Amino acid sequence: MKKEDIEFWRDISYQIITEVGEAVSPLVGKEKSGKTVKMGADGTPTKMIDVVAEEKVIEILKNTGKSVTLISEEIGEFKIGEGPSEVVFVVDPLDGTINALKNIPFYGISIAIADLSIKSLALLTLHDIEIGFVKNLASGDLYEAVKGKGASLNGEGVIPSSQVDITGSLIGAYVRGAMTKMNEICKTVRRIRLLGSVATELCYVADGTYDAFLDIRGNLRVVDIAAAKLIVEEAGGTVTNEHGKSLDNKLDVTERTSIIAACNLNIHKDIINTTEVL
C-alpha cells in the first residue's frame, strides 16, 4: 500500500475510532443497550450497543467517497461505494460488549485494513493485513501498527516482555471450554488473567503487560484478532495457532481459529509443550 494511501486510511480509522467511542459512550452500563436485536452474521446475538457502533463505522466509510468492503461481526461482508473495492476493513466495532454493558472499563474497537488492489477478497488472509488499530475505549489507550513499520501505544513504540521462564509468566487465557488442554498451563504459569476483550488482551502481549495470551478452543473469530495479530508481530512477538502453525485464515466473518501469542519464541514453545497440543 502506498504511503499516501496508508495516511488516508489511518485518518479514516482515527475518525471511526473517535466517533464510535462517542456513539457508544452514553450506552455504556445501560440496561437498554443489552437488548438483543438480531443474530449477527457471525452467528452470535447482536446487542443494541453493537448495532450503534457498527452503524457509525458504515456511515463514516460511506462518507469517504471510496469503494470499500467491510467485514464486521454483525453485518458480515458489506460492499460500500461503486466499482471494485480499494481496501477491505475488518472491524470489530465493539470488542468486549459484555464489559461495556456491565460498565467494566475494558472494551474497545478493532480495525484491520488490507489492500484489495493486488488480491481478490477470496484470496486475502490474515497475512495480508497491512494496518491495524485497537483502542480501549474506556481507558483511551490506542495501539496501532503498519506492516514493516513496528507497533506503538499512544504514539510510543512498544516491545514485548523479556520473560523467558514460563513458571514466572503472567498470561491472559480463555479457559472455558478448553480446561482439559489448559490444566497443565494453569498449574505451570505464575498468574492468569481473563479480562473479556481479546483484541486488547493480545495487545497486552505487544507492550509487555502480558507475557502471552492464548485461546485454544478453536472458536476464536478472525475478526477479533485481525488487527491485534499484526500489532503483536510488529512489536516483535510470536503469533500462531495452537499447533504452532502460522495464522493464514481467510478474512471472513465466519472464520474461526485458535491462537497462542507470546513475547518470544521460548515462552511460545513452552506454552505449546505444556498444553500438549502438538
Side-chain angles (χ1 to χ4, degrees):
M1 195 178 294
K2 295 178 181 179
K3 182 179 179 180
E4 56 266 32
D5 294 328
I6 291 172
E7 292 301 320
F8 177 81
W9 293 118
R10 176 188 277 127
D11 288 345
I12 295 301
S13 297
Y14 286 168
Q15 182 184 357
I16 290 172
I17 289 166
T18 298
E19 295 194 21
V20 167
E22 292 171 351
V24 302
S25 180
L27 303 175
V28 171
K30 301 296 192 297
E31 185 177 351
K32 66 176 183 179
S33 307
K35 180 182 178 182
T36 298
V37 294
K38 65 176 182 177
M39 289 298 293
D42 66 343
T44 61
T46 298
K47 307 298 185 183
M48 186 265 276
I49 195 172
D50 295 312
V51 172
V52 169
E54 186 176 75
E55 286 180 347
K56 180 57 68 174
V57 175
I58 294 169
E59 174 190 325
I60 294 170
L61 289 178
K62 284 182 176 179
N63 288 338
T64 65
K66 301 278 191 176
S67 182
V68 179
T69 295
L70 171 66
I71 296 175
S72 182
E73 287 189 4
E74 319 310 337
I75 203 169
E77 184 181 321
F78 184 66
K79 177 71 167 55
I80 296 170
E82 300 295 329
S85 293
E86 296 182 25
V87 296
V88 57
F89 269 68
V90 183
V91 181
D92 186 348
L94 187 60
D95 186 50
T97 299
I98 299 303
N99 284 352
L101 293 175
K102 295 295 185 179
N103 204 13
I104 298 170
F106 199 78
Y107 54 88
I109 180 171
S110 170
I111 300 172
I113 307 171
D115 190 351
L116 276 172
S117 67
I118 300 174
K119 289 183 181 179
S120 68
L121 181 58
L123 296 177
L124 288 179
T125 74
L126 285 169
H127 289 313
D128 297 301
I129 297 298
E130 294 190 43
I131 314 171
F133 305 88
V134 174
K135 183 170 185 177
N136 182 337
L137 294 173
S139 71
D141 285 334
L142 174 62
Y143 296 86
E144 61 181 288
V146 175
K147 197 170 189 177
K149 302 296 183 180
S152 66
L153 166 59
N154 300 329
E156 299 291 331
V158 292
I159 58 173
S161 161
S162 59
Q163 178 72 30
V164 293
D165 181 1
I166 192 174
T167 62
S169 64
L170 166 62
I171 71 168
Y174 199 108
V175 297
R176 183 182 178 187
M179 279 309 300
T180 300
K181 292 179 179 180
M182 287 295 299
N183 188 47
E184 287 305 312
I185 201 74
C186 290
K187 295 178 183 177
T188 303
V189 301
R190 187 177 183 187
R191 296 184 179 92
I192 295 179
R193 298 289 184 267
L194 173 60
L195 303 181
S197 171
V198 168
T200 307
E201 290 191 84
L202 278 168
C203 289
Y204 274 8
V205 179
D207 73 2
T209 302
Y210 283 174
D211 300 311
F213 177 87
L214 59 154
D215 184 337
I216 55 177
R217 297 170 298 154
N219 195 41
L220 182 60
R221 292 168 295 209
V222 165
V223 172
D224 293 337
I225 64 170
K229 172 185 178 289
L230 177 66
I231 292 167
V232 174
E233 291 176 334
E234 285 297 318
T238 299
V239 185
T240 71
N241 66 17
E242 64 175 320
H243 305 295
K245 304 298 182 182
S246 178
L247 292 180
D248 59 356
N249 303 75
K250 292 181 178 181
L251 302 184
D252 189 296
V253 73
T254 62
E255 190 79 2
R256 298 290 194 273
T257 189
S258 57
I259 195 168
I260 296 178
C263 57
N264 55 56
L265 290 171
N266 288 333
I267 294 292
H268 184 268
K269 180 180 178 181
D270 285 348
I271 289 174
I272 289 182
N273 289 340
T274 304
T275 54
E276 296 181 341
V277 296
L278 285 178

